[in-house]
Amino acid sequence: LASEAIHIARLLKDAGIATAFLKGVPLAILAYGDIALRHSRDIDILVPPEAAATATGILEDAGYRPTQIEHLQPNPKHSEFVHQSTGICVELHCRLFDNARLLQTFGPESWVDIPLGGTSLRTLRRQELLIYLCLHGSTHGWFRMKWLADVGALFASESEAGITQLVQTAESM
């Protein structure tokens, strides 16, 4: 998944599309310090809403096909694709949340580049990632227990001062 995330990031960057990665490989690096210590089932990519159609075309040109569930969602915040030969799943997000107030929470200062494989993947900074994980998990009723483990790993990888900063950022947001 790390290799494929890098590949997709390059394709989208070459098309001039600003891209960020949610959870997955960047989370494994930030929270666990090692991509091998966190299982991911898919690659979550965030693009600006105005670039979603172009990004969809790029994914399709790269061998990804929309899943059948996409036809059932009238205005989804993300679309799911599966690569026709590798089976890798990609969720292409055009917004983080359906709630407009939550969208204002993650401005340009909320993002950071995480080095990986001679390049980097853009993701949420540690403080904002914690908030996103908590909001994402609660929105989905903590459907996957590993989301709680991710929150715990983020805290465990922090110093006491870092934890205080994480909590202060959460409270201010």
Side-chain angles (χ1 to χ4, degrees):
L1 291 178
S3 176
E4 187 64 5
I6 291 169
H7 173 70
I8 293 170
R10 286 187 180 137
L11 291 174
L12 295 171
K13 182 179 180 181
D14 289 349
I17 298 174
T19 306
F21 290 78
L22 307 169
K23 302 180 302 200
V25 173
L27 172 59
I29 293 168
L30 284 173
Y32 299 92
D34 187 335
I35 62 173
L37 296 179
R38 182 182 187 275
H39 171 267
S40 295
R41 86 168 187 87
D42 60 11
I43 300 171
D44 291 276
I45 304 169
L46 178 68
V47 299
E50 62 275 8
T54 303
T56 294
I58 290 168
L59 286 174
E60 289 176 343
D61 289 347
Y64 286 88
R65 298 295 173 254
T67 61
Q68 291 182 347
I69 194 150
E70 297 313 308
H71 305 292
L72 303 175
Q73 298 179 358
N75 187 20
K77 73 176 178 12
H78 73 273
S79 299
E80 186 174 279
F81 298 83
V82 175
H83 195 277
Q84 56 190 2
S85 62
T86 66
I88 292 175
C89 181
V90 169
E91 287 188 6
L92 182 65
H93 297 255
C94 59
R95 60 186 182 276
L96 293 175
F97 301 102
D98 290 324
N99 184 321
R101 288 187 71 196
L102 293 177
L103 295 176
Q104 300 167 10
T105 304
F106 302 96
E109 71 286 348
S110 299
W111 303 90
V112 64
D113 291 321
I114 302 296
L116 179 67
T119 187
S120 63
L121 298 178
R122 182 156 282 264
T123 193
L124 288 164
R125 289 186 319 169
R126 190 178 288 272
Q127 292 90 348
E128 286 82 359
L129 183 57
L130 175 67
I131 305 302
Y132 172 75
L133 291 174
C134 289
L135 291 169
H136 178 268
S138 64
T139 299
H140 294 285
W142 296 100
F143 176 70
R144 298 192 193 287
M145 292 298 290
K146 74 177 180 179
W147 296 339
L148 288 171
D150 293 338
V151 170
L154 271 176
F155 277 118
S157 66
E158 282 293 336
S159 65
E160 189 173 328
I163 290 172
T164 300
Q165 179 62 43
L166 286 170
V167 172
Q168 288 172 346
T169 300
E171 288 173 346
S172 70
M173 294 173 92

